[in-house]
Amino acid sequence: MMSQSAHATRADSATNIHEAFEAWDVPARLNELLSSNNTPSEAESNELRAYLSGSQTAQASVEKQLIDAEETVRLFKLSQALILTRSSDVKKVLHPLRTLPSDVLAEIFLHCAPIQYVDPQPDSLCPRHHPWNLSHVSRKWRDVALSLPRLWATVYLDFAAYGKLSYRDCVYKGMLLFERSKGLDLCLTIRSDVLQEIVDHPLTAVLESSTARWKYLYVCIPAPSLQSFAGRPFPILEELFITHASSLTPGVKVTTFESTAPKLRTVTLIERAIAASLQLPCGQLTELRCGGSVFMEPAFILRLREMRNLKVLELGVVVTSGPIVPNILLPVLEELVVDHADRSHTGLFDHVIPALTVPSIRRLSIAPFIGDWLSLPVYPDFAGITHLHLAFVDSVFPDPPENEFFCRMVGVEELWLTHHELPPEILQQMTVIEGEPFLFPHLRILDIHDTQIGSDESSAIFHTMCESRLRDKDVLAELKVARLEELRVPDYWYWVPEDEGEKEEQRWREICSLTNVVYIP
């Protein structure tokens, strides 16, 4: 690197030449001679020749100094780049990440390994994703990664991605994953293409040897591939999630988990998942979720009678035609979710829901069409519901007496309404008017963050309903009405009608001062 004295000498030399050249007088008649064709005198010619000779010498000196200056600039830039590079290196060495204790680093690593179903997620055999990439950063990171069996116990295998991988690589990495998880229970996801069987893939043999460690299993594979695991023990399997491709071989009975999974409690079937062909240990299940377009034969619906320990039941299914048992008793069921998935088939509200007896129910979520309101039975059991979610498929809410289904739900404390436009009818029927019937007298929390007010009239009706439930405590106590303690609205709230915007906005501000308003994205 050039010294500071050398830089100073070159700078001074350039300055001196510039000053000397500026002080050098140009011949007086030069400009006049340039503007005409006159011949200069002999004295003028001698003066001009002397000037030209001196200028050539000065030009040579300036060119030499320019070369020196360019070299100086180059050295300065080189010095600058070197300083920046070394500063960056020093910052890396001093980075706080290097000072993190191993236990803190381990906690961060574990957040890369969810212990529940997340789809999609990075394939566990891909070296560019966790946990492999975490173990290739530094010796310290590798030591921490290898000391965390849990990091290697969340396994996502997508057989559709293994077309270009050799069997040897698949088996080696699969065995390494299970080895580094050191006997911990596994959260395992197995996927393949819609028609891709995995029975003959050597990695399946590795999976079969580990079934005793499966705790959470999520599969999207053809039914024969799932059936290939039959006979294997699943002593700690608690949660089973089946979706998509599992249904594409009609007539195949899947008995994989019927008698070999003593701890299985939660089963979820999603989007074309097998239903009637899936044999389950019904008596021990506590949670059954059937979402999307899951086709169910009557035989499977009848098996609900065996699920007497169910606490959560979700039915978003398509029920094929056939007789339904007149009474299905679910004595400990606490939560029921009903989503009418397809009106082209015999519906849940036509056959299944009327057959249920649920004396312990506390939470209900339903999404009926307008015609379904008339087929909803009046359940004495529903008087104990405390949490109600209504997802309106139509922008209509039934008037009395068709709404008797809801009139019986006197215990509702939390109401969640979902629709692109809130039906004004339900707001009117929730408005507390002395001497007239109204819905949900014990309501304390109203959640409308998934909906919006659709008209000027609805806005005023909404305000009136809120105000009727925010009156003086003594007045509400005399009417036997709970006070509205919390109101959950979307974060873009609040829209008010153009005609009476100032008036309605003032009403909204007063409502906000009387209750807790939560804005939800």
Side-chain angles (χ1 to χ4, degrees):
M1 187 183 299
M2 182 179 290
S3 67
Q4 293 182 356
S5 61
H7 288 313
T9 301
R10 289 185 173 180
D12 292 342
S13 177
T15 300
N16 294 336
I17 289 178
H18 177 72
E19 291 176 350
F21 191 77
E22 286 290 328
W24 200 353
D25 292 333
V26 178
R29 293 188 65 222
L30 178 61
N31 292 332
E32 179 182 343
L33 292 171
L34 287 174
S35 62
S36 69
N37 290 324
N38 297 332
T39 303
S41 65
E42 184 177 352
E44 289 173 337
S45 297
N46 292 334
E47 184 182 2
L48 290 173
R49 290 189 185 96
Y51 184 90
L52 184 61
S53 176
S55 66
Q56 291 174 347
T57 302
Q59 181 179 356
S61 178
V62 169
E63 288 178 353
K64 181 179 182 304
Q65 292 296 323
L66 182 60
I67 292 173
D68 291 342
E70 290 175 348
E71 176 65 13
T72 301
V73 171
R74 187 187 71 81
L75 292 175
F76 269 126
K77 290 183 176 181
L78 182 63
S79 300
Q80 181 187 41
L82 184 60
I83 291 172
L84 290 174
T85 300
R86 288 180 176 176
S87 297
S88 177
D89 292 341
V90 170
K91 289 179 180 179
K92 291 178 182 178
V93 173
L94 296 177
H95 195 283
L97 191 60
R98 288 176 174 259
T99 65
L100 284 179
S102 295
D103 57 337
V104 176
L105 200 59
E107 188 67 26
I108 295 173
F109 284 6
L110 289 177
H111 279 77
C112 297
I115 58 173
Q116 59 185 4
Y117 180 68
V118 178
D119 187 28
Q121 59 178 295
D123 186 86
S124 293
L125 301 191
C126 180
R128 296 189 304 273
H129 300 299
H130 68 270
W132 307 99
N133 56 356
L134 297 176
S135 64
H136 292 164
V137 175
S138 67
R139 170 58 61 183
K140 179 180 180 180
W141 280 40
R142 181 174 179 82
D143 291 343
V144 172
L146 295 180
S147 70
L148 297 172
R150 174 54 58 198
L151 184 64
W152 305 85
T154 298
V155 181
Y156 186 100
L157 301 176
D158 187 356
F159 281 78
Y162 302 153
K164 296 182 180 180
L165 286 180
S166 68
Y167 284 170
R168 179 178 180 180
D169 286 343
C170 291
V171 171
Y172 173 73
K173 289 184 177 180
M175 294 181 65
L176 201 57
L177 279 170
F178 295 142
E179 177 186 339
R180 290 179 176 179
S181 59
K182 299 184 184 303
L184 285 186
D185 48 271
L186 299 175
C187 175
L188 178 64
T189 300
I190 309 174
R191 296 186 64 91
S192 70
D193 283 337
V194 173
L195 297 176
Q196 179 188 11
E197 298 288 354
I198 66 170
V199 177
D200 297 329
H201 198 290
L203 183 58
T204 303
V206 178
L207 292 174
E208 290 176 349
S209 66
S210 66
T211 59
R213 297 170 54 194
W214 296 3
K215 188 172 184 179
Y216 308 100
L217 176 62
Y218 311 97
V219 294
C220 179
I221 57 178
S225 296
L226 187 57
Q227 177 62 18
S228 68
F229 293 103
R232 295 284 177 174
F234 304 91
I236 65 171
L237 183 64
E238 296 180 0
E239 184 172 330
L240 174 63
F241 187 107
I242 302 178
T243 183
H244 291 293
S246 305
S247 65
L248 297 182
T249 308
V252 175
K253 291 290 184 181
V254 178
T255 60
T256 308
F257 311 101
E258 186 174 22
S259 59
T260 56
K263 292 188 176 182
L264 183 61
R265 297 293 182 268
T266 301
V267 174
T268 302
L269 308 178
I270 299 289
E271 297 293 346
R272 295 181 294 163
I274 49 180
S277 59
L278 179 62
Q279 308 300 305
L280 295 170
C282 296
Q284 65 191 45
L285 297 183
T286 60
E287 188 171 329
L288 175 63
R289 297 186 180 274
C290 304
S293 299
V294 178
F295 284 80
M296 283 192 171
E297 298 292 337
F300 187 85
I301 297 296
L302 293 178
R303 297 198 69 186
L304 289 176
R305 293 178 302 173
E306 305 172 32
M307 303 181 188
R308 298 178 63 86
N309 290 312
L310 274 186
K311 294 185 177 181
V312 178
L313 174 61
E314 178 178 344
L315 297 173
V317 303
V318 177
V319 183
T320 57
S321 59
I324 301 297
V325 174
N327 185 16
I328 300 175
L329 174 62
L330 302 175
V332 297
L333 189 74
E334 298 175 357
E335 180 177 353
L336 176 62
V337 180
V338 184
D339 182 6
H340 209 168
D342 194 338
R343 289 290 293 174
S344 63
H345 295 73
T346 302
L348 291 167
F349 291 96
D350 298 321
H351 289 283
V352 180
I353 304 306
L356 296 179
T357 300
V358 285
S360 301
I361 189 168
R362 293 296 178 267
R363 308 176 72 95
L364 175 65
S365 176
I366 58 174
F369 287 82
I370 182 172
D372 295 324
W373 298 114
L374 300 178
S375 62
L376 289 172
V378 177
Y379 282 113
D381 299 337
F382 282 7
I385 289 177
T386 58
H387 294 72
L388 176 62
H389 176 203
L390 297 180
F392 295 96
V393 180
D394 304 296
S395 300
V396 178
F397 187 79
D399 294 324
E402 287 85 1
N403 69 347
E404 189 174 358
F405 176 82
F406 299 101
C407 291
R408 297 295 184 94
M409 298 183 188
V410 295
V412 172
E413 298 180 1
E414 182 174 333
L415 176 63
W416 178 16
L417 302 177
T418 302
H419 195 268
H420 66 275
E421 184 176 316
L422 193 62
E425 294 85 359
I426 189 172
L427 298 175
Q428 290 173 329
Q429 296 180 44
M430 290 170 57
T431 302
V432 179
I433 301 177
E434 187 174 359
E436 295 186 14
F438 54 88
L439 297 177
F440 316 127
H442 293 95
L443 184 66
R444 299 181 184 277
I445 300 175
L446 176 59
D447 188 337
I448 57 171
H449 82 271
D450 281 340
T451 186
Q452 64 181 12
I453 301 297
S455 65
D456 295 4
E457 179 185 7
S458 296
S459 177
I461 294 173
F462 172 72
H463 290 159
T464 300
M465 183 277 297
C466 292
E467 290 166 348
S468 71
R469 293 175 175 269
L470 293 171
R471 287 182 279 185
D472 184 77
K473 291 184 179 180
D474 294 335
V475 175
L476 293 176
E478 184 177 348
L479 295 173
K480 298 181 179 179
V481 177
R483 186 176 178 83
L484 188 61
E485 298 175 354
E486 184 169 295
L487 188 59
R488 300 170 185 168
V489 298
D491 57 356
Y492 55 79
W493 204 264
Y494 180 72
W495 174 88
V496 294
E498 295 181 2
D499 295 339
E500 299 184 7
E502 184 175 347
K503 175 183 176 182
E504 295 302 323
E505 185 175 356
Q506 181 59 34
R507 294 180 70 185
W508 172 245
R509 289 176 179 173
E510 292 178 0
I511 291 171
C512 292
S513 68
L514 295 173
T515 189
N516 180 36
V517 178
V518 179
Y519 294 89
I520 301 177

